[in-house]
Amino acid sequence: MSKTSQIIIAIVGVIVLALAGGYFGAGLRSGGGVGGTENGAWIQKIKDQGELRVGIASAPPMTGEQKDGKMGGPNVLPLQNLAKEMGVKFTPVAAEWSKMVSGLQADRFDVGAYLDATSERSLAIQFTDPVYTYEGVWIVKADSGLKSTEDVIKSKKPVAVASGTSYERRVVDLGVDIVNAEAIPQSITAMEAGRAVAAFGDLPTLADAAQKNKALKIVRPKPVIFKSDSNYGVSADIDERSLQVINIAIQNAKNDGSFQAALDKAGVISPNNLGDLAMK
């Protein structure tokens, strides 16, 4: 082989390597490749369909049916802001806790609101940054005499919990009999009807129920037996750029005070400010 031929072959080799590197590099930068999604694809999908569909299960006052009959609440404020900034319609979709993940997988909605990040769920979907952090508490009848988790367990009576919630398994682990409910308000109803001695759920929802019914009181476990970050759930294949956009919307709502204002307006209280709602 002549020296000229060797030079030509070398040049061709360099060009081939350069082209290959550019192709694969572009694929990595855009999120392409097997199973990948082009950056910004989820955002573009929302724009194309002209609406941001948000799955919302009942957990008032954070999420639930509003005065206009539609599902909403302070928890979804960052998503409402995002929809407005994108120029699309905010569309609430009524959902159940036990079907939130399957709803995302079936594309019934684009985001699942007020959804705790758990290892089990993360195998099927992705999560945004935390939107809100809450404690799990008991709600009991004011004349029940139950003042602690130990009292609830020693009663040897069933307790109510909403199916599909992240804390359902924690309650089961206490070794008590369980009355399953479709949603958190229904678990409270089961307790009020005498089918359970107590109901376990997130503090904002149970405190809201106690505020509306003076015959109910909150028992805050000491030590805390469940605490969780509440996030938004999104599809497993959402691209990195789109996920970042949602996270920025969450952070902006916190930074500008609008999220806290929405919580205050809805009457969401902190664990250290239960006052007369607490079982004495």
Side-chain angles (χ1 to χ4, degrees):
M1 182 182 294
S2 68
K3 187 174 182 180
T4 299
S5 298
Q6 290 177 334
I7 293 174
I8 292 173
I9 292 174
I11 292 173
V12 171
V14 170
I15 293 173
V16 170
L17 289 173
L19 290 173
Y23 173 80
F24 289 114
L28 291 172
R29 288 192 298 274
S30 66
V34 178
T37 304
E38 184 179 352
N39 265 336
W42 185 90
I43 289 293
Q44 189 59 52
K45 173 198 171 190
I46 304 304
K47 290 181 178 179
D48 290 343
Q49 66 190 22
E51 62 178 347
L52 175 60
R53 302 167 302 163
V54 179
I56 306 175
S58 184
M62 293 296 289
T63 56
E65 186 173 330
Q66 305 299 293
K67 292 181 180 180
D68 60 4
K70 297 180 180 180
M71 297 296 284
N75 179 265
V76 299
L77 176 70
L79 296 174
Q80 291 173 318
N81 292 344
L82 177 60
K84 185 177 181 179
E85 291 171 359
M86 293 175 63
V88 299
K89 179 183 177 182
F90 176 85
T91 303
V93 179
E96 298 174 16
W97 295 114
S98 60
K99 298 179 181 178
M100 192 74 83
V101 171
S102 61
L104 282 167
Q105 292 176 315
D107 196 34
R108 286 190 57 237
F109 38 82
D110 308 300
V111 180
Y114 203 34
L115 194 61
D116 298 351
T118 66
S119 298
E120 183 178 5
R121 287 171 176 167
S122 67
L123 295 174
I125 61 175
Q126 287 198 61
F127 290 94
T128 65
D129 290 342
V131 181
Y132 184 79
T133 301
Y134 72 87
E135 289 184 15
V137 298
W138 301 100
I139 189 168
V140 300
K141 292 182 179 179
D143 60 1
S144 67
L146 303 174
K147 299 181 179 181
S148 67
T149 299
E150 290 71 22
D151 289 342
V152 172
I153 295 174
K154 289 179 180 179
S155 74
K156 296 184 179 181
K157 296 180 179 180
V159 300
V161 64
S163 298
T165 52
S166 59
Y167 44 76
E168 180 183 11
R169 182 174 298 176
R170 181 69 183 95
V171 178
V172 171
D173 289 343
L174 295 175
V176 295
D177 291 331
I178 300 295
V179 174
N180 287 113
E182 181 180 298
I184 303 169
Q186 281 70 32
S187 69
I188 300 171
T189 299
M191 181 271 299
E192 292 178 300
R195 292 190 288 116
V197 71
F200 191 85
D202 66 286
L203 174 59
T205 302
L206 301 193
D208 181 68
Q211 286 175 313
K212 295 175 179 176
N213 185 350
K214 303 301 180 184
L216 304 178
K217 296 294 180 181
I218 299 297
V219 175
R220 185 185 179 194
K222 295 182 180 180
V224 173
I225 62 175
F226 185 87
K227 188 174 183 178
S228 180
D229 288 330
S230 169
N231 309 57
Y232 294 142
V234 292
S235 60
D237 62 353
I238 189 172
D239 61 279
E240 184 178 349
R241 178 169 175 262
S242 296
L243 184 60
Q244 182 186 43
V245 169
I246 303 175
N247 287 333
I248 290 173
I250 294 170
Q251 195 58 52
N252 285 345
K254 292 180 178 180
N255 290 344
D256 65 18
S258 60
F259 183 60
Q260 185 59 53
L263 294 177
D264 294 341
K265 183 178 180 180
V268 178
I269 62 176
S270 68
N272 298 317
N273 192 33
L274 290 176
D276 292 338
L277 298 180
M279 187 69 160
K280 306 297 184 182

